[in-house]
Amino acid sequence: GSEKGARLKVRLASVAELPSDGTPKLYQVVAERKDAWTKYPNKPIGSVFLRRIDEGKVLAFNSSCPHAGCSVDIDSSGSAFFCPCHASSFDFDGSTKGTSVSPRGLDQLEVDPDLLENGEVWVTFVKFKAGVADKIEV
């Protein structure tokens, strides 16, 4: 079957843990897989940048660069996301910046609004295809 990657809803942080000045913070997404017989140990399947904006709103971005899937970091000035593989830059709102080779901005992920009101950051983690302009789940 053409099974899509897991859409995994995970708790990554409490709102209080996130810097109030809007600095993004990186969180590992860990999944426990099990099949009929075996439970596999928790294994990182990706990571997410969380960024607190305004009163209790949180943005979540998959840290995988949409260009070739490298891991995006925060640049040395601390003012943008930067991909070391092909020098793509992204603003903290996820949009591409300058002369980026990335075909689209960082992939924003859904944050559960109801749980957010309780101060918990739950994100639906999805992986998207690299190298294309559209967000296509893989």
Side-chain angles (χ1 to χ4, degrees), residues 34-106:
K34 40 180 173 283
D35 58 29
W37 301 276
T38 317
K39 190 167 149 185
Y40 299 94
N42 286 344
K43 175 171 161 285
I45 57 167
S47 51
V48 173
F49 277 108
L50 296 180
R51 181 170 173 244
R52 182 156 79 162
I53 54 170
D54 302 339
E55 210 29 62
K57 261 195 77 177
V58 174
L59 295 179
F61 297 103
N62 191 323
S63 72
S64 188
C65 180
H67 174 237
C70 298
S71 285
V72 172
D73 216 333
I74 294 175
D75 73 4
S76 54
S77 69
S79 62
F81 295 114
F82 179 74
C83 180
C85 293
H86 304 96
S88 286
S89 291
F90 305 90
D91 275 321
F92 279 165
D93 66 0
S95 60
T96 50
K97 187 179 171 178
T99 55
S100 287
V101 290
S102 180
R104 63 178 190 269
L106 291 179

